[in-house]
Amino acid sequence: MNELLSDIKYLPGVGPKRAELLTKELGVATFGDLIHMYPFRYIDRSTIMRIGDIRTGLAYIQVVGRVLRADLCGPGGSVFDPNAPGFRFNAVKRLSVTVTDGSGELEMVFFKGIRWNWERLRPDSVFLFFGKPSEFNGHINIVHPEVDNPPAPGTAQAAGTLTGVYTIPEKLKNAGITGRSIGRMMSAALAACLPQVEDTLPDYILTEKGLCTLRFALQNIHFPASQDALAKATRRLKFEELFLLQLSLLKQKYIRTRAEGGIPMPKVGPDFNACYESLPYDLTGAQKRVIKEIRADLMSGRQMNRLLQGDVGSGKTMVAVLSALIAIGNGYQACIMAPTEVLARQHFANIQKYLSPTSVRSAILTGSSTVRERREIHAGLEDGSIGLIVGTHALLEDNVIFRSLGLAIIDEQHRFGVDQRSKLWSKGPDELHPPHVLVMTATPIPRTLAMTLYGDLDVSVIDEMPPGRKPVQTLQIGQAKRAQLYAFMKREIAKGRQVFVVYPLIFESEKIDLKNLELGYEDIVKAFPFPDYKVAVVHGKQSNEEKNFNMDAFAAGRANILVSTTVIEVGVDVPNASVMVIESAQRFGLSQLHQLRGRVGRGAEESFCILVRDNKLSNESRKRLDLMCATQDGFELAEEDMKMRGPGDLEGTQQSGLPINLGIASLARDGILLSEARAYADRILAVDPSLSDPRNAVLSRELRSSKYEIKDYSKIS
Ligand code: ADP
Ligand code: MG
């Protein structure tokens, strides 16, 4: 019988009702699940504090105290006499127990379990109390302390030195599950399971990497014998998690790059050269380097799966066009897919300019293409006469059939779902020859996250801006400065510049946000009256036609101001726009703010980003806005964002679409260990790419377990 798989309800102290809660709230269904649920921090219980030394603001403490009195309190501080006739425990609001250790007195407060604690905490009895001191009405107390027998004299550490603290969701707490009960469950589960735990890493890895065994790690992550044992256990479990994850990602990459499925594209062709030679500017060093990397991929005979990261304005479109021309030069077609219609149209307009010196026929396909346009485009794609197609999700529809799609380029990848992206794979010339894939993103993904997310992809970075860009002057203002803001906007408009005004749009409060935008729009129209000023507005509730009309008006310079929700976040290029005003700026994440700021500063003029904050600000928001004003470096901001919000948050957002739940390692904090794990995984695969060596049988087995099974990962992009 494998105890690891035993139903959690059979664990002493659990039972069917708690089992259901554990499963639902914590995903713990078996003994094995439980022992893999680790504490998120530890409390040092080796020290007993003198009551006289207690101050507010302390973390958890423990004291040994003799009970002086235990008062059953009613409303408004009245004290009940339990011997009085008609007394009922039900009427008691709170039990207040005062204890002393000679150095001072401390109050323990109970709102629940009143009767039980009152009977137990008799005056003059001595107990060990454990909890977090808080301040109430100017004096310090501990609410709902854990109560234990005092340690035997001379054994201050009787309670165990380090105690794990587990996440206990509210519903479990209400069902009476405390830290102590989890501790008891854990110790029972470990006793049952540990003898059966088999190591998940082969011996040779434990030796080479100096790691402890899984049994030792599990025992000590829950009940550390010492700080040192805890450190060993933590390192082992984190390493294992990161290592297996990387092993799984890299293994897929090995399989993919060894397959013969890549469409070979040995030449560059005349269209590439024609376009290159008539460029109005020199490519930056970074653009050249990236194009070389892509060329090498396309020539290699292996399928390319490359992520191209480049800050907003770094010139990714050019790279996309030149890559597409290589595919076309080899007799294949290429597509560029954008997340919104507005963006697709803008791409198309730019791309047509670049293509004019070539003989390539291009087209655009979006949701609002007419039936007639569609018919023509479908035909052109099928007979191969259209070389480059730009479009939105409409490109993914089943009736879009390419004669020979050789390269699929996806712009701003985070807006596309995994399924949609993998659909592109099926549009290659035949099943064995998927198109090469280039994913472009302006979201600077922190290195550690990129490694986890895209462990399977090759990454290129454009880390250089086209020459002549001036940094965007960024400042924050409060609501009181609105009049000055409008005056400033007017001065900029008088110079012939254009202004973006952006409102947040957050899904849960869409209605309120729209309201804010409407009010803001009215306010602006009042301050910037027609016909002296022209204000365009774009938001998600408009029809495509309306959106396009307004966007075009702004892009063509017919409107001075564009009021919008974050639809403009992605990609829109209006070089004449020099001011970006972000309303309720505290509601945006750092990365998003940075994206928005990237919409200005594309022309030669001095440009500005003005963060308008609401009056009430949390400390964190304040920090975020300060940071935005202090740096223009997208990667620095992304790293900070991850640190502030924690990768857990990032993982949960559609931004990253991270399909992995890390149990113990942290992408923000364990970057070095991650690199080490990745390099080590790479070394192992270099020798044994299919993990068929008997020494690696354990690894092979682990990768088959669901945790590391990453949904069709190589096809994500
Ligand atoms: P993004 O990386 O944000 O997609 P774009 O490709 O839209 O950036 O380029 C931003 C602007 O910079 C465009 O107006 C483009 O014409 C211009 N640009 C691109 N590459 C260069 C270069 N090497 N030198 C000068 N301007 C460039
Ligand atoms: Mg772009």
Side-chain angles (χ1 to χ4, degrees):
M1 158 92 199
N2 186 344
E3 292 286 1
L4 286 155
L5 300 177
S6 296
D7 192 320
I8 194 72
K9 73 181 172 206
Y10 299 123
L11 193 69
V14 178
K17 246 173 101 185
R18 286 179 162 191
E20 204 183 305
L21 277 172
L22 284 168
T23 309
K24 213 167 133 218
E25 299 294 315
L26 290 169
V28 170
T30 63
F31 290 15
D33 293 340
L34 185 68
I35 64 174
H36 285 101
M37 184 185 88
Y38 310 132
F40 66 93
R41 61 186 175 77
Y42 296 84
I43 294 164
D44 185 351
R45 299 187 80 159
S46 57
T47 18
I48 290 170
M49 193 145 197
R50 275 162 40 95
I51 289 176
D53 293 339
I54 296 174
R55 304 278 170 271
T56 44
L58 287 173
Y60 286 79
I61 56 156
Q62 58 184 358
V63 298
V64 172
R66 184 168 57 82
V67 176
L68 287 175
R69 57 179 186 275
D71 295 332
L72 297 164
C73 306
S78 59
V79 176
F80 287 107
D81 175 1
N83 299 315
F87 168 79
R88 287 176 308 116
F89 266 98
N90 282 351
V92 179
K93 296 277 177 251
R94 158 173 75 90
L95 168 67
S96 160
V97 179
T98 306
V99 306
T100 180
D101 64 356
S103 72
E105 293 182 8
L106 182 65
E107 185 194 15
M108 309 287 165
V109 181
F110 299 84
F111 298 99
K112 287 188 226 160
I114 288 176
R115 180 168 192 160
W116 190 73
N117 280 306
W118 183 75
E119 281 168 2
R120 176 177 172 203
L121 302 175
R122 306 304 311 161
D124 268 346
S125 53
V126 178
F127 289 96
L128 179 78
F129 298 91
F130 173 81
K132 193 170 162 48
S134 51
E135 192 176 334
F136 183 74
N137 272 352
H139 78 277
I140 297 176
N141 62 24
I142 298 183
V143 179
H144 287 170
E146 279 178 21
V147 182
D148 233 324
N149 290 323
T155 57
Q157 306 193 352
T161 45
L162 291 163
T163 305
V165 182
Y166 300 85
T167 307
I168 307 176
E170 210 51 38
K171 282 190 181 152
L172 292 186
K173 282 188 194 151
N174 293 342
I177 296 181
T178 61
R180 286 172 65 90
S181 26
I182 298 264
R184 275 193 300 266
M185 288 179 208
M186 204 56 86
S187 124
L190 284 173
C193 296
L194 269 195
Q196 295 182 344
V197 164
E198 282 175 44
D199 217 293
T200 39
L201 294 175
D203 285 344
Y204 81 94
I205 293 187
L206 298 186
T207 314
E208 279 181 30
K209 290 275 129 199
L211 300 168
C212 67
T213 63
L214 182 56
R215 279 187 202 170
F216 179 93
L218 286 172
Q219 174 65 39
N220 282 283
I221 200 79
H222 294 295
F223 301 105
S226 63
Q227 283 287 1
D228 184 50
L230 175 60
K232 281 204 176 93
T234 310
R235 182 179 153 79
R236 144 80 208 219
L237 293 170
K238 284 185 176 180
F239 181 86
E240 166 180 333
E241 184 166 63
L242 296 168
F243 168 74
L244 289 177
L245 189 60
Q246 290 301 320
L247 194 68
S248 144
L249 289 166
L250 290 172
K251 185 163 171 250
Q252 290 184 46
K253 177 172 164 180
Y254 270 88
I255 291 170
R256 180 170 57 76
T257 51
R258 278 153 41 105
E260 322 244 296
I263 302 170
M265 300 185 174
K267 344 176 243 201
V268 291
D271 290 320
F272 179 98
N273 290 326
C275 174
Y276 194 91
E277 275 151 26
S278 60
L279 281 179
Y281 42 70
D282 291 331
L283 293 185
T284 62
Q287 282 171 316
K288 284 188 193 154
R289 188 189 66 234
V290 168
I291 289 169
K292 268 195 202 131
E293 287 167 354
I294 293 170
R295 250 213 83 194
D297 281 357
L298 297 179
M299 287 176 64
S300 72
R302 293 188 300 267
Q303 190 221 8
M304 173 173 80
N305 238 346
R306 190 170 279 280
L307 176 73
L308 172 56
Q309 290 190 350
D311 214 340
V312 275
S314 62
K316 295 184 293 295
T317 316
M318 203 55 246
V319 172
V321 171
L322 288 170
S323 308
L325 288 175
I326 297 178
I328 294 166
N330 284 276
Y332 293 91
Q333 292 162 291
C335 71
I336 299 182
M337 202 158 92
T340 63
E341 166 140 10
V342 166
L343 192 57
R345 282 153 33 86
Q346 180 154 40
H347 266 323
F348 184 61
N350 286 333
I351 286 166
Q352 272 181 312
K353 267 186 265 160
Y354 296 133
L355 291 185
S356 61
T358 73
S359 59
V360 175
R361 181 180 163 207
S362 61
I364 177 165
L365 181 69
T366 70
S368 52
S369 303
T370 63
V371 175
R372 197 160 140 207
E373 286 166 342
R374 273 166 204 261
R375 204 176 301 134
E376 207 175 298
I377 290 168
H378 287 173
L381 290 174
E382 252 185 284
D383 68 19
S385 60
I386 295 178
L388 177 59
I389 179 101
V390 179
T392 56
H393 299 87
L395 290 174
L396 295 172
E397 282 162 22
D398 287 334
N399 54 10
V400 176
I401 296 162
F402 291 85
R403 191 175 74 93
S404 55
L405 180 64
L407 171 64
I409 299 169
I410 304 173
D411 197 10
E412 309 293 353
Q413 114 291 341
H414 61 274
R415 294 297 168 100
F416 287 102
V418 175
D419 301 345
Q420 291 167 331
R421 285 174 250 157
S422 68
K423 231 178 156 179
L424 274 176
W425 272 56
S426 62
K427 293 195 180 284
D430 62 63
E431 208 162 290
L432 293 176
H433 294 88
H436 296 289
V437 176
L438 179 67
V439 179
M440 305 195 293
T441 179
T443 310
I445 302 169
R447 243 171 60 79
T448 47
L449 188 58
M451 258 197 231
T452 311
L453 273 176
Y454 301 112
D456 174 48
L457 297 192
D458 297 306
V459 179
S460 293
V461 183
I462 306 188
D463 49 5
E464 182 185 348
M465 286 290 181
R469 293 282 161 82
K470 287 194 189 141
V472 180
Q473 301 245 28
T474 307
L475 48 145
Q476 43 175 322
I477 60 169
Q479 293 296 335
K481 291 260 171 74
R482 195 162 283 282
Q484 284 104 308
L485 171 63
Y486 287 174
F488 169 75
M489 285 163 62
K490 282 182 180 166
R491 284 199 300 276
E492 284 294 301
I493 291 171
K495 287 190 229 159
R497 309 280 137 70
Q498 291 167 279
V499 181
F500 287 108
V501 181
V502 178
Y503 284 83
L505 181 59
I506 293 169
F507 192 67
E508 301 94 78
S509 56
E510 208 174 341
K511 273 207 189 111
I512 305 172
D513 284 334
L514 212 55
K515 189 86 204 146
N516 288 341
L517 176 125
E518 271 164 28
L519 292 176
Y521 174 66
E522 278 165 27
D523 198 39
I524 292 217
V525 173
K526 232 180 271 158
F528 297 83
F530 187 83
D532 294 347
Y533 297 96
K534 292 167 198 77
V535 184
V537 60
V538 173
H539 56 77
K541 284 280 175 306
Q542 290 170 329
S543 69
N544 278 341
E545 247 168 41
E546 250 178 304
K547 253 187 247 172
N548 293 339
F549 178 84
N550 281 294
M551 274 310 304
D552 286 348
F554 188 69
R558 290 192 300 276
N560 315 100
I561 301 177
L562 179 71
V563 178
S564 79
T565 50
T566 46
V567 275
I568 57 153
E569 176 190 343
V570 186
V572 179
D573 194 11
V574 183
N576 190 47
S578 64
V579 183
M580 167 64 64
V581 177
I582 305 176
E583 295 283 348
S584 302
Q586 79 282 352
R587 288 181 55 196
F588 292 86
L590 273 177
S591 300
Q592 218 181 358
L593 288 172
H594 181 66
Q595 293 289 304
L596 287 169
R597 178 166 60 185
R599 297 298 114 214
V600 294
R602 306 194 138 209
E605 303 82 25
E606 176 118 67
S607 50
F608 303 87
C609 175
I610 295 155
L611 310 169
V612 186
R613 47 168 202 254
D614 290 346
N615 292 332
K616 278 200 199 125
L617 275 198
S618 70
N619 274 343
E620 205 212 282
S621 307
R622 199 174 293 277
K623 237 167 96 186
R624 244 181 305 145
L625 297 184
D626 288 346
L627 205 66
M628 268 303 289
C629 296
T631 180
Q632 307 262 336
D633 179 336
F635 279 87
E636 189 183 331
L637 289 168
E639 295 277 2
E640 283 305 319
D641 210 14
M642 190 157 102
K643 273 189 214 139
M644 272 186 214
R645 294 196 296 164
D649 207 331
L650 266 186
E651 283 155 23
T653 61
Q654 65 170 83
Q655 277 266 46
S656 70
L658 187 66
I660 305 145
N661 257 326
L662 289 176
I664 182 165
S666 147
L667 294 178
R669 283 187 302 274
D670 298 320
I672 293 174
L673 195 61
L674 175 60
S675 309
E676 186 184 330
R678 182 175 169 87
Y680 194 66
D682 211 21
R683 256 178 54 203
I684 286 177
L685 287 170
V687 182
D688 182 17
S690 55
L691 298 179
S692 48
D693 186 324
R695 299 203 307 168
N696 291 327
V698 181
L699 297 176
S700 211
R701 186 190 73 206
E702 275 309 300
L703 291 195
R704 280 196 301 275
S705 81
S706 58
K707 181 168 180 197
Y708 299 101
E709 182 181 282
I710 299 151
K711 217 169 77 177
D712 213 0
Y713 216 64
S714 59
K715 295 189 180 182
I716 276 191
S717 306

